[in-house]
Amino acid sequence: MKKIIILFGLLFASQLSLALAPYLQGTKLPDADLSAQIALVEKNLEAEGFKVIGRHTPKGLPGRAALVATDKAMIESLRAIGGSAVVASGIRVAVQADGTVSYMNPDYWYRAYLRGQFKTAQAAVKSVQLRLQKALGEGRAFGGDVPEGDLPTYRYMLGMERFDAANSELASHGSFEEAIKAVQAGLASGAGNTSRVYEVIMPEQKIAVFGVAMNDPSTGEGWWVNKIGADHMAGLPYEIFVVNNKVYALYARYRIALAWPSLGMGQFMGIMNAPEAIRTTLIRVAGGSDRSN
């Protein structure tokens, strides 16, 4: 009987060890204003071989920022995989004015975004994880727990969208080049009260991803992030991506749930209008029809 109890305990502990959280806490920075905090984080990232490609200071979320970086080996892995893998190009780090630093957990996000192709990029993922820890510190994991085996097919609950949901398609254009121009023009003109945070374009593979700041006070990040938890800033910015001649964005009932997996249904009901508001905004950026599916 004692052996059975021990075995059960080991199995239970093993199951717990396979659960992943979306974020990792970094080492707190010395007191300084936010711009100085951001500059220090950028310096630390670049010292570990990352390239910072975007800064995001969301409207309505004062004292908070997100940085987006890329890693050469990770980009090469995504280039080899192709297709929707491009959405995983940005490595996101959050900085707060009080010196708090957090960053996306690569093991979590790449399992979700690369799905069946995760093993192809696993060496690059491990390298990214280790160098982020060196650059930013290795603190506690937070933000909820999802079994690693569930991440490739993640959805918040039965009936909700997964990564490849049909309603992730926003627009279709005559060519990859036309799709890129449409997204760039949409962001440049502030369509839907948006702005560009970063872009990664791989023309030979006909894939690209753009980070989008959603600035509308009624429907943008300042509204829905404040309702569900601004400590998850390393979940921003939202991505819009291009594969061949089509423009996509992960539907918000998937994308927000993946970034805030521990929220209760009541909290999600408080932003029930956000998924379609986000989709409508990004359709405008993509140069598509405003009509929702």
Side-chain angles (χ1 to χ4, degrees):
M1 182 67 178
K2 184 178 180 181
K3 288 182 178 179
I4 293 173
I5 292 172
I6 292 172
L7 179 60
F8 180 80
L10 290 172
L11 288 171
F12 183 70
S14 176
Q15 288 177 345
L16 285 179
S17 70
L18 295 177
L20 297 173
Y23 308 105
L24 297 169
Q25 199 78 53
T27 301
K28 195 164 185 178
L29 301 173
D31 288 341
D33 62 32
L34 183 59
S35 61
Q37 306 281 23
I38 291 170
L40 180 56
V41 170
E42 284 188 358
K43 180 181 178 181
N44 292 342
L45 287 169
E46 289 167 354
E48 289 302 319
F50 297 104
K51 180 181 179 181
V52 177
I53 60 171
R55 287 185 176 189
H56 182 39
T57 51
K59 303 288 186 183
L61 294 167
R64 299 177 185 270
L67 298 176
V68 183
T70 57
D71 173 71
K72 184 177 180 180
M74 194 70 232
I75 290 292
E76 289 306 312
S77 293
L78 300 178
R79 195 190 308 275
I81 295 169
S84 61
V86 72
V87 77
S89 298
I91 298 165
R92 302 183 304 275
V93 179
V95 186
Q96 295 178 203
D98 67 358
T100 298
V101 175
S102 60
Y103 52 98
M104 58 172 262
N105 181 352
D107 203 23
Y108 179 98
W109 285 90
Y110 289 122
R111 286 179 188 276
Y113 277 3
L114 302 184
R115 300 172 292 155
Q117 296 293 325
F118 175 76
K119 287 186 177 179
T120 303
Q122 197 161 11
V125 173
K126 184 66 173 176
S127 174
V128 166
Q129 188 124 14
L130 291 173
R131 286 184 291 118
L132 283 175
Q133 290 169 1
K134 189 174 179 181
L136 305 172
E138 182 181 4
R140 67 179 181 89
F142 72 97
D145 294 305
V146 177
E148 69 175 35
D150 291 351
L151 285 167
T153 57
Y154 178 80
R155 61 180 174 184
Y156 178 71
M157 62 180 296
L158 188 67
M160 287 194 178
E161 288 80 1
R162 291 191 169 100
F163 180 98
D164 54 358
N167 55 1
S168 64
E169 184 177 331
L170 304 176
S172 181
H173 296 278
S175 66
F176 172 72
E177 291 75 17
E178 289 180 23
I180 291 295
K181 288 179 181 177
V183 174
Q184 289 175 329
L187 291 171
S189 67
N193 204 349
T194 62
S195 56
R196 182 181 73 88
V197 178
Y198 71 91
E199 68 178 38
V200 175
I201 301 174
M202 304 180 193
E204 292 183 2
Q205 289 71 34
K206 297 187 186 304
I207 53 177
V209 62
F210 301 81
V212 181
M214 290 180 276
N215 304 315
D216 190 279
S218 299
T219 61
E221 297 152 327
W223 167 60
W224 56 265
V225 172
N226 272 319
K227 279 184 171 288
I228 60 176
D231 288 342
H232 293 209
M233 275 295 298
L236 300 176
Y238 215 95
E239 310 94 350
I240 189 170
F241 62 103
V242 178
V243 178
N244 295 320
N245 66 323
K246 293 186 176 182
V247 186
Y248 301 88
L250 301 171
Y251 194 67
R253 277 195 293 261
Y254 168 84
R255 176 61 172 81
I256 293 177
L258 185 68
W260 280 264
S262 63
L263 292 187
M265 181 54 70
Q267 292 170 294
F268 278 119
M269 289 299 291
I271 59 165
M272 64 183 300
N273 295 327
E276 278 304 307
I278 291 170
R279 187 169 190 272
T280 297
T281 296
L282 297 180
I283 285 173
R284 292 171 183 161
V285 172
S289 167
D290 284 347
R291 184 177 62 187
S292 300
N293 286 344

